[in-house]
Amino acid sequence: MAGNVTPPPLLTGHMVNEPVDANDPNGDVLVYESDMGPLGLRLDVYHTTTGDTVAYISPDWTEWSIGDESEMHDVITQAVSLSRWLSEARTLLHRLRGRNTTPPEHGR
C-alpha cells in the first residue's frame, strides 16, 4: 500500500511564544519559527498588537549559488519541493490566524 503513504511534511519548525522585543512584552509576538526549507527559505509567523497574523519568508541566498550542472539539478529539485512547502505554510497560517496567544511574562 505504498501509494497511500503520506510523505513527511517539508515545513518543519517549532511553535514559539516570545515577544519580539524583550523590553516590550505587550508588543508583537513570534509564534512560529521554521527550520530551513527548500532553496534555503525560512518562515517566521508573528501575531501583531493589532491582532493580525503576519508571515515573513526569508531566503538564505548562499543556497542559490549554482556552480555546475549537478547544483542546477539540485536547485530544480528544491524548486519543485517549494510548491509543497508553500502549501504547507498556507495551511499553518490558516491554523494560526486568530489563535489567541499571550506573551510570556517579562523576563522568562
Side-chain angles (χ1 to χ4, degrees):
M1 299 216 178
N4 295 334
V5 175
T6 302
L10 292 176
L11 177 62
T12 59
H14 59 280
M15 299 301 293
V16 181
N17 189 24
E18 297 177 0
V20 174
D21 180 354
N23 295 320
D24 183 10
N26 296 317
D28 294 348
V29 176
L30 175 65
V31 293
Y32 180 83
E33 193 171 58
S34 81
D35 298 323
M36 191 176 296
L39 295 170
L41 295 180
R42 294 184 55 125
L43 171 71
D44 294 322
V45 181
Y46 299 86
H47 283 183
T48 68
T49 56
T50 61
D52 293 327
T53 300
V54 179
Y56 293 95
I57 296 176
S58 308
D60 175 356
W61 292 109
T62 60
E63 291 295 315
W64 292 63
S65 174
I66 300 169
D68 59 29
E69 188 176 335
S70 174
E71 289 176 347
M72 176 62 80
H73 179 71
D74 182 52
V75 169
I76 291 168
T77 300
Q78 290 185 57
V80 171
S81 297
L82 179 59
S83 175
R84 192 171 120 214
W85 186 86
L86 289 169
S87 178
E88 291 172 11
R90 180 184 59 207
T91 300
L92 174 71
L93 287 172
H94 181 71
R95 259 192 7 241
L96 294 175
R97 191 166 278 125
R99 183 176 171 174
N100 190 6
T101 5
T102 306
E105 291 180 32
H106 184 65
R108 278 195 159 177

